[in-house]
Amino acid sequence: MTSTTDAVTVTTCVAVDPTTAFTVFTDEIDRWWRRGPRYRFVDGHGTLAFTEGRLVERGPAGSHEVGRVLQWEPGVRLSFECRDKSFAAGELTIVEVSFAVEGEGTRVTVVNRGWDKLPAAHPAKAGYEGGAFTAMIGLWWGDLLLPLQRRLGALA
């Protein structure tokens, strides 16, 4: 049985085809992924990019390998490891992004799983547990994806 607190799923619909949505998601990640310490991994202002099979943020305070790319299927799916700077060696979550035709546009679905593997007192959980934690991460992803939706246009 899968835990209800291990994964968060967030969906948005954009007014472009799946290949364009995938390209903007990956090639322009630094343009749409919000800045600031709540969203970035190094100092809140680094440059985020997929490069050499990894997602990396580089900034004045150094660089951080967010994680390795696990799947890269343009226009279909992307998955990558995701490690906050507070994660210890071996701690990570997995982000799975799918791109599917939805009417005249694309449904972009993000599933972020692996949260149950982190200890309850982990800094990334900010003191939240169970459904409260899942809701908080869901709202974080929803807020994070708003600039992507604005960039690509909301599907009417």
Side-chain angles (χ1 to χ4, degrees), residues 131 141 155:
W141 272 108
L155 190 58

Side-chain angles (χ1 to χ4, degrees), residues 13-66:
C13 293
V14 294
V16 297
D17 62 275
T19 300
T20 300
F22 182 95
T23 299
V24 170
F25 190 100
T26 56
D27 292 358
E28 298 182 23
I29 193 165
D30 189 60
R31 290 183 63 196
W32 65 261
W33 191 292
R34 290 181 184 271
R35 295 189 183 279
R38 176 175 157 93
Y39 299 101
R40 295 291 175 121
F41 303 92
V42 177
D43 62 2
H45 303 287
T47 301
L48 196 58
F50 284 102
T51 181
E52 299 177 1
R54 303 173 301 139
L55 179 58
V56 177
E57 183 180 355
R58 291 184 174 87
S63 67
H64 173 72
E65 181 178 308
V66 178

Side-chain angles (χ1 to χ4, degrees), residues 107-141:
R107 181 176 8 97
V108 179
T109 302
V110 175
V111 179
N112 188 192
R113 67 180 76 249
W115 294 104
D116 283 354
K117 294 177 185 166
L118 300 179
H122 195 282
K125 292 190 173 182
Y128 291 95
E129 297 180 32
F133 172 74
T134 304
M136 187 229 2
I137 291 295
L139 290 170
W140 182 87
W141 272 108

Side-chain angles (χ1 to χ4, degrees), residues 22 25-26 29 32-33 41 48-51 53-56 65-73 77-84 87 92-99 108-114 140-141 144-145:
F22 182 95
F25 190 100
T26 56
I29 193 165
W32 65 261
W33 191 292
F41 303 92
L48 196 58
F50 284 102
T51 181
R54 303 173 301 139
L55 179 58
V56 177
E65 181 178 308
V66 178
R68 294 178 304 119
V69 172
L70 304 172
Q71 292 181 308
W72 186 278
E73 296 178 51
R77 78 180 48 97
L78 164 71
S79 68
F80 56 94
E81 298 169 341
C82 190
R83 292 182 201 89
D84 185 73
F87 285 29
L92 59 90
T93 65
I94 303 294
V95 176
E96 301 164 343
V97 187
S98 62
F99 303 83
V108 179
T109 302
V110 175
V111 179
N112 188 192
R113 67 180 76 249
W140 182 87
W141 272 108
L144 183 63
L145 291 176

